[in-house]
Amino acid sequence: MLYHLFTYLDREYDLLGAGVFQYISFRAGMATLTSLLIAMIFGGRLIKMLQRKQVGESIRDLGLEGQMEKKGTPTMGGLIILLAILVPTLLFARLDNIYVLLMIVSTIWLGLIGFLDDYIKVFKKNKEGLAGKFKVLGQIGLGIIVGLTLYFSDDVVVRQYIFTDGSTSAVNATSKWVDIKSMITTIPFRKNNELDYCNLFSFAGPLFADWSCYLYIPFVILVITAVSNGANITDGIDGLAAGTSAIIGLTLAIFAWVSGNTIFADYLDIMFIPNSGELTIFALAFVGACVGFLWYNSYPAQVFMGDTGSLAIGGIIAVMALIVRKELLIPILCGIFLIENLSVMLQVSYFKYTKKKYGEGRRIFKMSPLHHHYQKNGYHESKIVSRFWIVGIMLAILTLATLKLR
């Protein structure tokens, strides 16, 4: 909004200082600062409003130390995160950018699903919330929207460089190039790191090759559903999901910045994605929102994000990774989400298997997700969260290292 306003003022009236809004770095910095202030200032007011309306979390007694003390803590705090993401994005990002619009839609879409789940839990006094099948249907719906947009939109292109022998590549810049529709992505740890979804089954003949492109959309659905649920499961103790998401968001902001800048893309020998640099503004607003939310969500939490926040932040991370074509790095970058997801799957599967085989269910962990296992072992929440953040930072560094580690 402000970009378009100040661009007009600069062009028509040569307003002093208006040209600074042309710089992504300036607008990204302002978006970060604004999101932090919104989360910290308006977050406190929202918490008081939630307390007045008695929007408190109902806690199941799982035998965890300090757990019952959290009963009545306001939930639906994800509204703080959503507000702190959307307002700076609407103010500072270009609203004619396909990637920004896609992120706004994703944020609102999953935010509404999470809000509906929390609303049913709090106001309808139904601890189960929104039925799981409806959550999954919502995630699938978003996956279809994102997949179709990235696949069919003429605004979603990558730059291919043309060599003297007629071959093309998304890296190794030459003076000749063309922006084309392409379903290529990045494979980590490989020198020639381009993978074209349309060539996945080319070895099976032309019939399968023609259809292999369409596998991209089911893959997008899988990525969004998995990461969104992973963030939802990780949101179990104070500050864990928000802090981990901030680390992931900062990493994706760096990817968006270098992928959308011809100089950095050429230097790092990576794929250049025209107009993706604008995503940096959204990504840093997301980071600011998560960090600002920690002002109230760090131990002892004054508010919980609820599904309103956790489903949205997972979906946001997934869609950003897909846009900058780093979705194959998600198992590394979102390693915390992955291990939390796997701990639940392993626990449930092993319990069912042993119950069927021995007549008595056995467990791998004292409790799942994994962070509760450590709580059962006597670790304090703050120590668990701090160590998970450290692991998250290590994974983020490893993910960034893949820019050159191949």
Side-chain angles (χ1 to χ4, degrees):
M1 190 180 299
L2 292 179
Y3 167 84
H4 302 285
L5 172 63
F6 280 94
T7 298
Y8 170 78
L9 293 174
D10 185 43
R11 183 179 65 248
E12 299 295 328
Y13 302 102
D14 195 25
L15 181 67
L16 183 65
V20 75
F21 278 83
Q22 296 293 322
Y23 296 96
I24 290 176
S25 55
F26 171 78
R27 288 184 286 126
M30 292 302 295
T32 310
L33 181 61
T34 304
S35 63
L36 277 166
L37 290 174
I38 288 173
M40 292 168 63
I41 295 172
F42 291 97
R45 297 180 182 180
L46 182 62
I47 291 171
K48 290 178 181 177
M49 185 190 76
L50 293 172
Q51 287 172 334
R52 285 197 303 270
K53 294 185 177 294
Q54 297 182 331
V55 183
E57 183 77 36
S58 55
I59 304 292
R60 287 187 302 161
D61 189 0
L62 300 175
L64 298 171
E65 184 180 351
Q67 178 196 18
M68 298 312 295
E69 296 172 6
K70 299 182 180 183
K71 187 175 182 179
T73 301
T75 188
M76 301 174 80
L79 291 170
I80 300 170
I81 297 176
L82 299 183
L83 185 69
I85 293 172
L86 292 173
V87 171
T89 300
L90 293 172
L91 285 175
F92 296 104
R94 291 187 59 171
L95 301 180
D96 57 353
N97 183 285
I98 184 66
Y99 301 126
V100 171
L101 292 174
L102 202 55
M103 293 311 309
I104 291 172
V105 169
S106 301
T107 304
I108 295 173
W109 185 285
L110 286 176
L112 286 174
I113 294 171
F115 177 82
L116 183 58
D117 182 62
D118 287 334
Y119 181 85
I120 293 171
K121 288 178 182 175
V122 174
F123 293 101
K124 301 298 182 181
K125 306 301 180 183
N126 183 347
K127 293 182 180 180
E128 299 301 319
L130 184 66
K133 62 182 178 182
F134 293 117
K135 286 185 188 178
V136 173
L137 282 174
Q139 292 164 335
I140 291 173
L142 178 62
I144 292 171
I145 292 171
V146 172
L148 290 175
T149 302
L150 295 178
Y151 188 87
F152 288 107
S153 175
D154 292 333
D155 294 323
V156 179
V157 295
V158 295
R159 183 156 295 178
Q160 293 277 289
Y161 296 96
I162 305 170
F163 297 94
T164 54
D165 61 358
S167 62
T168 60
S169 174
V171 295
N172 298 318
T174 69
S175 58
K176 295 182 178 180
W177 51 266
V178 60
D179 292 338
I180 63 169
K181 287 291 300 176
S182 177
M183 300 314 299
I184 61 173
T185 190
T186 306
I187 307 175
F189 305 114
R190 285 193 59 185
K191 186 70 175 177
N192 299 316
N193 64 345
E194 296 173 32
L195 169 68
D196 193 333
Y197 286 99
C198 294
N199 293 334
L200 281 176
F201 296 102
S202 57
F203 64 88
L207 178 63
F208 288 95
D210 291 341
W211 284 93
S212 60
C213 281
Y214 293 103
L215 291 175
Y216 176 72
I217 295 172
F219 181 71
V220 168
I221 294 171
L222 175 64
V223 170
I224 290 175
T225 303
V227 181
S228 182
N229 287 332
N232 188 236
I233 289 172
T234 303
D235 180 35
I237 52 179
D238 300 347
L240 180 57
T244 304
S245 298
I247 295 165
I248 295 170
L250 182 59
T251 307
L252 289 170
I254 294 171
F255 277 126
W257 175 266
V258 298
S259 297
N261 185 292
T262 52
I263 297 172
F264 285 123
D266 182 27
Y267 173 74
L268 294 169
D269 198 26
I270 62 173
M271 187 189 313
F272 173 64
I273 308 171
N275 302 317
S276 65
E278 199 70 19
L279 192 62
T280 310
I281 297 164
F282 180 93
L284 288 180
F286 172 77
V287 173
C290 290
V291 173
F293 183 69
L294 284 173
W295 186 270
Y296 301 104
N297 186 240
S298 58
Y299 183 86
Q302 295 171 255
V303 65
F304 300 139
M305 69 169 65
D307 283 14
T308 306
S310 60
L311 285 176
I313 62 176
I316 287 168
I317 288 167
V319 177
M320 279 199 289
L322 287 160
I323 289 174
V324 296
R325 309 200 182 214
K326 298 294 185 289
E327 66 273 15
L328 298 183
L329 284 167
I330 284 177
I332 303 172
L333 179 59
C334 301
I336 297 295
F337 295 169
L338 177 64
I339 198 67
E340 292 274 49
N341 248 336
L342 286 176
S343 68
V344 174
M345 294 166 63
L346 289 171
Q347 185 88 320
V348 173
S349 300
Y350 187 70
F351 185 86
K352 289 181 177 179
Y353 169 75
T354 53
K355 188 172 184 178
K356 184 177 180 180
K357 186 172 183 178
Y358 304 111
E360 179 185 10
R362 299 176 184 177
R363 293 174 172 82
I364 300 173
F365 307 103
K366 290 185 177 180
M367 190 175 176
S368 66
L370 188 62
H371 54 260
H372 287 325
H373 169 77
Y374 289 112
Q375 280 186 284
K376 285 285 190 180
N377 280 328
Y379 289 91
H380 192 273
E381 279 190 48
S382 297
K383 185 177 288 290
I384 297 169
V385 170
S386 299
R387 290 184 175 178
F388 272 54
W389 285 357
I390 292 169
V391 173
I393 292 170
M394 293 168 63
L395 292 171
I397 293 170
L398 177 59
T399 304
L400 290 171
T402 62
L403 289 169
K404 298 302 286 183
L405 191 63
R406 46 192 161 104

